[in-house]
C-alpha cells in the first residue's frame, strides 16, 4: 500500500466517525437516542437497512462466490422483496401503532412478559455472537493478505464503531450508514470499471460476458429440487422469504432502522426502497466477481488465493509438489489466454463450439490443479481452511488496482464492517435497556435510561471485540454463527406470526410451544449432523417457523381457553 | 403475578394494500426475467 492509500483509507474512516458523532450530538431522551428522534426519511431508512445487511463479508465473499460458481447465488435474495411487502403490510403498521422501541416489546402487549423476555434473550445470544463475527470476518482476511495484526485490527474496528454508536445512538448509526453506502457504491463501481479497463483491448464487455457464459458463470436460475444444492430458485423464494421475514421483521438490528422513521409512510417507503434495490445490487456485486473471473482468464492468478495457507504449505515437506502444480498452472494459463482471445474474435458458431470444448477442457484441468493444491494444503496443515473464495476479490484489489483506489476499496470493506456492527451494537444496547433493564427497573428519569443505553451499548461493543479476538480459536465459527441464527430465527418468526395472524392462540400455548419447538429444531439439526436425516441448516428457518405455529395450535386446542390466567 | 387480559389483542391495525407493493413485486419479477434472458443469450 502506498501513502495515498493510507490517506484515503484513514481519512474516509475518520471523517465518517467524526461526522456521525457531530451530527448526532445532544440526545435528550430515550426516543432521541434509540429511535433517532423519529426523524429519519425514507431514503435514510432504506440505505440504513441495506448497510446493516451488507457486511464486509458481502463485499469480500460475494465476488469470490461468483468467481467460482457464477451468478446463481443471486437466487438467495429472491424472497427478500416478498418479505419486504409482508413487513410493510403487517409488521410496520403494528409496531408503529403501538409505538414500540423494540420488536419484542410488542410481544408483551400481545402475549405476556415471559414471551417477550424469551425472544429478547434469544436475540441477544444470537446477535451478540454475530456482532463479534462481523468484526472478525474482515479482520482475518485483511490480516492474512496485508500482514496486519489481527487483534489490533479487531480492536481498531470495534473502537471506531463504539465511538459514534455509543455517543450518538440510532441517529449516528443512520447518518454514518448513508456516508458508508456512498463509499461502498462508489468503490464497487470504480472496481467494476477498472476490471473492464484491464481486459485486453479487443475484449469488450459484450465479449467478456460471452467468455463468462462459455465457462458456465452466467447461469442465473436453477429450477431443480435438489435439496443438496443450497442456491436454487425454490430455496430462494421459499427459504429466502422466511429468512428475510425473520431478519427484517423480528431482528432488532433491522427493526430499529425503520422504527426511527418520521412516519408510517416513511418507514414503509424505506423498506420498499430496499425491496427494489437489493436484487439488482447483489446481481451487480456478483457480476463484479464474474468480471474478475474473466480478468483472470487473461492474467496470471495464484493456485490458491489465501496467502497464509500457501505460506504454510511452502514451509512444509509438500513445498516442491506445490511448486510443480503452480508451474503446471502457469503453462495452462498461457494456453487459456490464447484460446480465450481466439474465442472472443471468432464469429463462426461451429468454430466457436470447437474452441469452447478446448477452453472447457483447460478450465477443468485448472480446477483439478486447484483441487490438488487444496489437498496439499490440508496435508501440510489439517486445520487449514481450503475454501479461498473470501480471498479472490481482495487479491484482485491489492495486486491490480491503481494507487488510491486500493485505499478506497479497503475503506469500502471496513465501512461495511462498521455499518453492520454499529446497527448490531445499537440493537443489542436497546434490547438490553428496554426489554430487560427498563422493564424491571421502571420509574427512573429519561436521562437515566439514556445513560443506561450508552453503557449497555459500550458493554456489547467490548463483548463483540472480545468474541472477535477469540474467534480464531474455533474452526468454522462463521458457519457456527449462521447455524445458531438458523436455529433461533424460525422459532422467533413463528412466535411473531402467531401474534399477528392467529388470535385464537394465547400466551401460555405460545410460550410452551416456543420452548418445545426450540428443542425440536436443535434435535433436527443434531440428527442432520449425525446423518440420520438430511436437512440443510438454512431450511431450519422455514421448518422452525411452521413447527412453532403447529405446536402452539395443538397446545391451544388441547388446553382450552386460558384467558385471564393468574399465575402462582 | 397476573397475566394480561388475553382478549386485549391489538386488532385496530388495518392492513392496507398499496400499489407500491404491486410495483415492488412486479419490478423484481422483471429484473429476474431480464437478468435470466440477458445472461442466457451469453450462456
Amino acid at each position: 500500500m502506498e501513502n495515498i492509500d493510507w490517506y484515503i483509507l484513514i481519512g474516509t474512516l475518520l471523517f465518517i466517525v467524526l461526522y456521525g458523532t457531530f451530527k448526532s450530538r445532544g440526545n435528550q431522551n430515550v426516543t432521541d437516542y434509540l429511535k433517532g428522534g423519529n426523524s429519519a426519511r425514507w431514503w435514510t431508512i432504506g440505505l440504513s437497512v441495506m448497510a446493516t445487511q451488507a457486511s464486509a463479508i458481502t463485499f469480500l465473499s460475494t465476488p469470490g462466490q461468483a468467481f467460482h460458481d457464477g451468478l446463481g447465488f443471486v437466487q438467495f435474495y429472491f424472497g427478500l422483496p416478498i418479505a419486504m411487502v409482508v413487513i410493510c403490510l403487517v409488521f410496520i403498521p403494528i409496531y408503529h401503532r403501538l409505538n414500540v422501541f423494540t420488536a419484542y416489546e410488542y410481544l408483551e402487549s400481545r402475549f405476556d412478559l415471559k414471551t417477550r423476555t424469551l425472544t429478547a434473550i434469544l436475540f441477544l445470544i444470537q446477535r451478540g455472537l454475530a456482532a463479534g463475527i462481523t468484526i472478525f470476518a474482515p479482520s482475518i482476511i485483511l490480516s492474512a493478505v496485508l500482514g496486519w495484526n489481527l487483534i489490533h485490527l479487531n480492536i481498531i474496528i470495534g473502537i471506531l464503531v463504539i465511538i459514534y454508536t455509543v455517543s450518538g445512538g440510532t441517529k449516528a448509526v443512520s447518518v454514518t450508514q448513508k456516508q458508508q453506502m456512498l463509499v461502498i457504491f462508489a468503490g464497487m463501481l470504480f472496481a467494476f470499471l477498472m476490471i473492464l479497463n484491464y481486459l485486453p483491448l479487443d475484449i469488450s464487455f459484450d465479449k467478456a460476458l460471452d467468455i463468462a457464459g462459455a465457462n458456465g458463470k452466467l447461469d442465473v436460475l436453477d429450477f431443480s429440487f435438489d435439496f443438496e444444492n443450497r442456491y436454487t430458485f425454490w430455496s430462494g423464494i421459499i427459504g429466502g422469504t422466511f429468512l428475510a421475514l425473520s431478519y427484517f421483521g423480528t431482528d432488532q438490528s433491522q427493526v430499529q432502522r425503520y422504527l426511527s422513521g418520521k412516519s408510517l409512510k416513511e418507514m414503509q417507503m424505506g423498506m420498499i426502497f430496499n425491496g427494489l434495490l437489493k436484487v439488482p445490487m447483489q446481481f451487480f456485486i456478483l457480476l463484479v466477481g464474474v468480471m474478475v473471473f474473466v480478468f483472470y482468464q487473461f492474467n496470471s492468478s495464484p493456485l490458491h488465493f489465501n496467502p497464509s495457507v500457501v505460506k504454510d504449505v511452502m514451509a512444509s515437506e509438500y513445498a516442491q509438489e506445490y511448486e510443480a502444480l503452480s508451474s503446471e498452472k502457469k503453462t495452462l494459463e498461457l494456453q487459456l489466454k490464447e484460446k480465450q482471445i481466439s474465442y472472443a474474435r471468432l464469429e463462426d458458431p461451429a468454430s466457436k463450439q470447437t474452441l469452447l470444448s478446448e477452453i472447457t477442457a483447460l478450465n477443468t484441468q485448472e480446477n483439478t490443479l486447484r483441487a490438488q493444491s487444496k489437498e496439499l494444503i490440508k496435508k501440510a496443515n489439517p486445520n487449514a481452511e481450503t475454501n479461498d473464495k473470501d480471498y479472490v476479490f481482495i487479491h484482485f484489489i491489492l495486486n491490480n488496482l491503481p494507487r488510491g483506489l486500493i485505499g478506497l476499496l479497503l475503506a469500502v470493506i471496513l465501512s461495511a464492517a462498521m455499518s453492520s456492527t454499529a446497527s448490531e451494537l445499537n440493537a443489542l444496547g436497546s434490547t438490553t435497556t428496554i426489554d430487560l433493564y427498563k422493564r424491571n427497573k421502571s420509574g427512573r428519569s429519561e436521562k437515566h435510561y439514556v445513560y443506561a443505553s450508552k453503557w449497555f451499548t459500550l458493554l456489547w461493543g467490548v463483548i463483540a471485540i472480545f468474541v472477535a479476538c477469540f474467534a480464531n480459536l474455533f474452526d468454522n465459527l462463521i458457519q457456527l454463527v449462521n447455524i445458531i441464527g438458523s436455529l433461533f430465527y424460525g422459532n422467533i418468526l413463528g412466535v411473531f406470526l402467531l401474534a399477528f395472524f392467529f388470535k385464537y392462540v394465547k400466551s401460555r400455548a405460545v410460550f410452551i410451544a416456543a420452548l418445545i419447538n426450540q428443542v425440536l429444531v436443535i434435535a433436527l439439526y443434531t440428527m442432520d449432523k449425525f446423518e440420520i436425516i438430511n436437512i440443510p441448516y438454512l431450511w431450519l428457518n422455514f421448518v422452525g417457523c411452521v413447527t412453532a405455529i403447529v405446536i402452539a395450535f395443538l397446545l391451544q386446542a388441547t388446553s382450552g381457553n386460558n384467558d385471564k390466567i393468574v399465575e402462582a | 403475578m397476573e397475566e394480561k387480559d388475553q382478549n386485549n389483542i391489538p386488532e385496530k391495525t388495518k392492513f392496507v394494500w398499496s400499489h407500491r407493493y404491486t410495483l415492488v413485486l412486479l419490478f423484481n419479477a422483471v429484473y429476474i426475467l431480464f437478468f435470466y434472458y440477458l445472461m442466457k443469450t451469453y450462456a
Side-chain angles (χ1 to χ4, degrees), chain B residues 1-42:
Chain B
M1 180 183 145
E2 192 174 343
E3 279 199 356
K4 64 185 291 300
D5 181 352
Q6 290 294 295
N7 290 319
N8 183 23
I9 294 164
E11 53 190 344
K12 288 176 192 164
T13 311
K14 284 182 182 160
F15 307 129
V16 186
W17 187 265
S18 158
H19 68 280
R20 292 189 188 95
Y21 307 149
T22 316
L23 283 177
V24 171
L25 298 176
L26 202 64
F27 265 95
N28 276 283
V30 171
Y31 294 149
I32 293 168
L33 288 174
F34 174 72
F35 295 149
Y36 175 62
Y37 282 107
L38 182 71
M39 295 301 124
K40 209 179 169 193
T41 57
Y42 295 98

Side-chain angles (χ1 to χ4, degrees), chain A residues 341-390:
Chain A
I341 290 173
S342 308
Y343 180 82
R345 283 176 185 160
L346 278 177
E347 295 295 334
D348 172 40
S351 314
K352 278 182 100 170
Q353 193 55 44
T354 314
L355 203 52
L356 179 60
S357 316
E358 293 173 27
I359 289 171
T360 311
L362 285 175
N363 271 317
T364 310
Q365 280 183 53
E366 194 178 77
N367 288 338
T368 310
L369 290 179
R370 287 192 193 281
Q372 286 170 345
S373 76
K374 286 178 184 176
E375 281 170 22
L376 287 181
I377 289 166
K378 246 337 189 205
K379 278 184 195 169
N381 177 6
N383 295 322
E385 173 60 67
T386 54
N387 188 347
D388 64 348
K389 71 176 167 44
D390 296 346

